[in-house]
Amino acid sequence: MAEYEIFNPNEEFNEEGNNHEGRRWRNIIIIGVIIAIAAYLLTGIYQVGPSEVALVKTFGEYKSTAGPGLHYHLPYPFQSHVIVDVRTINKVEIGFRTTSTGRAPTYRYLTDEAEMITGDQNIISIEAVVQYRVNDPEAYAFNVIQGYDLVKSTSESVLRERVALSNLENVLTTERDRIAQETAERVQSILDSYNSGILIQNVYMQAVTPPDPVVPAFDDVNNARQDQQTSINEALRYGNDIIPRAEGEAQRILNDAQAYAYEQVAQATGETERFKALLEEYQNSADITRKRLILDSVQQMIKNAKLQVVSEKGDTLNFLDLSEIIGGEAQ
């Protein structure tokens, strides 16, 4: 019995169709794999901002630092990177939160954070701002988990500790800036001990006020202090005016006294010299000198005196005009 192969054109067509469909799917799979590999490789491309650096890690271990720009490393899990902002000044707010910025920023007051106890057991309200930036990106990325929280909690605790060492009045007035400076130094010391890679730029105590119940009394104290300063200034002004004049008058009196002393000394010296000369004359000629002294004394007594002396010689009364004798004005 002869065997016949029955030709079925539909079967041949189906076989060619199946081969074509298989090649198409194979190509699709190959293209998909290529795209997946390309996409996987492209995941290693990363960009670093102008204020940032990238820390590249290989199997989780730090290998290098990349600066700003477009970079590439092997995809995960071979390599990865961590972006750290090293130039932006970050801000931590204590006692308040900024709710909106712009031309008219608004704030929200936080009582629990703002109120602190002073050394004289008073309550004071403080709103402070701590500014910091990253100065060691490797230490910051690998030693610190939450840098903001670390700075905030450290700054708040140090500020409370420092305020507790001063009384209310000093915190409000003279020690305000010093407390801020000492807080910054203490926070920096603590962060350095953690090897955090954080640098504290400034600590500002932008609002320091007494509690609301004592505000009127505090205002009275301030007014009294201002009155005190006004009185002090007036006293200093009066002193600056009167003291130079008093010093000038004292100097004038002193000069007059010195001049009088010199005059008296000179006069006494002259009298002494005159007495010595007279003594010498007296020792040389005692009678003549005695008579001359008597005449000088009489002349001094009758000088400028209107005096007439009557001498009696026998029965005749004669008037003796002393002015003619001594040359004075006696009559």
Side-chain angles (χ1 to χ4, degrees):
M1 184 177 179
E3 295 181 355
Y4 299 95
E5 183 177 1
I6 303 173
F7 173 73
N8 188 350
N10 293 330
E11 183 178 356
E12 183 178 2
F13 178 77
N14 292 334
E15 184 177 356
E16 291 179 356
N18 290 334
N19 293 335
H20 179 71
E21 187 68 19
R23 288 194 299 272
R24 189 172 68 88
W25 278 108
R26 185 171 59 250
N27 293 336
I28 292 174
I29 291 173
I30 292 173
I31 292 172
V33 170
I34 293 173
I35 293 174
I37 293 174
Y40 172 70
L41 293 176
L42 290 176
T43 58
I45 299 175
Y46 63 97
Q47 184 173 8
V48 181
S51 63
E52 300 171 336
V53 296
L55 307 178
V56 180
K57 299 182 293 182
T58 301
F59 296 110
E61 183 180 358
Y62 168 74
K63 288 299 181 183
S64 62
T65 299
L70 193 62
H71 302 276
Y72 179 80
H73 60 62
L74 294 177
Y76 182 84
F78 304 102
Q79 286 187 318
S80 62
H81 69 277
V82 177
I83 299 293
V84 179
D85 192 334
V86 295
R87 293 185 179 178
T88 301
I89 303 298
N90 303 288
K91 183 177 71 172
V92 172
E93 299 172 339
I94 299 175
F96 73 101
R97 294 291 184 274
T98 302
T99 54
S100 67
T101 58
R103 293 185 177 181
T106 58
Y107 305 95
R108 179 166 57 90
Y109 179 73
L110 300 178
T111 304
D112 294 340
E113 284 188 7
E115 290 187 351
M116 302 182 185
I117 299 177
T118 62
D120 51 357
Q121 303 301 314
N122 287 306
I123 297 177
I124 190 171
S125 178
I126 295 178
E127 296 178 7
V129 174
V130 181
Q131 293 180 334
Y132 72 96
R133 69 176 181 84
V134 177
N135 65 338
D136 187 345
E138 184 179 349
Y140 181 80
F142 302 127
N143 296 337
V144 177
I145 297 176
Q146 295 292 338
Y148 173 87
D149 293 339
L150 177 62
V151 174
K152 181 179 180 303
S153 59
T154 304
S155 301
E156 184 178 348
S157 62
V158 171
L159 183 59
R160 288 183 183 279
E161 178 183 355
R162 183 59 188 82
V163 170
L165 298 176
S166 301
N167 58 41
L168 176 64
E169 184 176 356
N170 291 338
V171 176
L172 290 171
T173 55
T174 58
E175 294 189 1
R176 177 173 173 169
D177 293 337
R178 191 172 69 177
I179 290 174
Q181 180 180 358
E182 292 179 356
T183 300
E185 295 173 353
R186 178 59 178 159
V187 172
Q188 184 64 65
S189 176
I190 294 175
L191 294 178
D192 290 344
S193 68
Y194 297 156
N195 193 20
S196 63
I198 296 174
L199 177 65
I200 300 297
Q201 297 285 333
N202 289 298
V203 174
Y204 297 107
M205 296 175 66
Q206 62 181 22
V208 180
T209 57
D212 292 341
V214 300
V215 168
F218 182 74
D219 292 339
D220 292 340
V221 172
N222 284 336
N223 293 333
R225 186 178 291 110
Q226 292 177 358
D227 293 341
Q228 179 189 21
Q229 190 61 42
T230 301
S231 300
I232 292 174
N233 293 336
E234 291 178 353
L236 291 175
R237 185 167 55 253
Y238 177 75
N240 292 333
D241 177 63
I242 196 67
I243 289 176
R245 288 195 294 171
E247 290 177 347
E249 182 66 18
Q251 187 63 39
R252 188 189 62 79
I253 295 173
L254 180 61
N255 293 338
D256 292 344
Q258 290 176 344
Y260 178 75
Y262 294 147
E263 180 182 357
Q264 294 299 315
V265 170
Q267 185 176 359
T269 303
E271 290 292 335
T272 301
E273 295 297 331
R274 188 182 65 83
F275 179 78
K276 290 181 178 178
L278 183 62
L279 178 60
E280 184 178 359
E281 292 179 1
Y282 182 81
Q283 290 173 345
N284 294 331
S285 180
D287 293 338
I288 296 174
T289 303
R290 185 183 303 110
K291 290 179 181 179
R292 198 186 75 180
L293 290 175
I294 292 172
L295 290 175
D296 289 342
S297 299
V298 172
Q299 183 179 5
Q300 290 296 328
M301 285 188 297
I302 65 177
K303 184 177 181 181
N304 299 328
K306 295 179 180 180
L307 183 63
Q308 293 180 342
V309 178
V310 179
S311 63
E312 182 177 1
K313 291 182 178 179
D315 296 333
T316 303
L317 294 179
N318 297 320
F319 287 95
L320 180 61
D321 189 355
L322 295 178
S323 61
E324 295 179 353
I325 299 174
I326 62 177
E329 297 180 354
Q331 295 179 359

